[in-house]
């Protein structure tokens, strides 16, 4: 028997997290994707704090009548704006074991469009 999708993702996630860490200067942009929503956090692993977060469920982010990929771009732009407000322009991207396509890729492109450097 092979791994379930969830176990496979967690195995990949651990492998990614061995190399990617967030610092106060260059935090880690962590992505979580559920069936309907997408969430992004900027995490400073040195001090163990979340610097900023954005999700498709936030009140100020309007994703009504948008596809999930379009919502991901909007969330990426929102997290970029929050990061730039805190004088952060460079980040490490943590895809959390998800494949880099679809909504994860859309969020990353939205963050780049918002002004973040990976």
């Amino acid at each position: 028997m092979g791994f379930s999708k969830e176990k496979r993702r967690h195995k990949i996630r651990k492998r990614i997290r061995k190399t990617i860490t967030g610092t106060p200067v260059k935090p880690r942009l962590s992505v979580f994707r559920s069936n309907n929503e997408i969430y992004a956090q900027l995490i400073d692993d040195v001090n163990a704090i979340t610097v900023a977060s954005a999700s498709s469920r936030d009140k100020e982010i309007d994703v009504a009548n948008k596809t999930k990929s379009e919502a991901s771009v909007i969330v990426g732009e929102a997290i970029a704006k929050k990061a730039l407000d805190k004088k952060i322009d460079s980040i490490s991207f943590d895809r959390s074991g998800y494949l880099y396509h679809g909504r994860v890729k859309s969020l990353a492109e939205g963050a780049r469009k918002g002004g973040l450097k990976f």
Side-chain angles (χ1 to χ4, degrees), residues 46-60:
V46 175
N47 299 314
I49 58 167
T50 298
V51 179
S53 67
S55 82
S56 54
R57 297 193 63 184
D58 289 351
K59 300 260 187 286
E60 63 271 6

Side-chain angles (χ1 to χ4, degrees), residues 7 13-14 40 54 66 71 82 85-86 113-114 117-118:
K7 283 186 179 179
R13 184 169 188 246
K14 281 197 268 184
K66 301 256 190 306
K82 288 181 180 183
D85 288 346
K86 295 187 183 246
K113 197 162 78 172
K117 294 184 203 81
F118 288 42

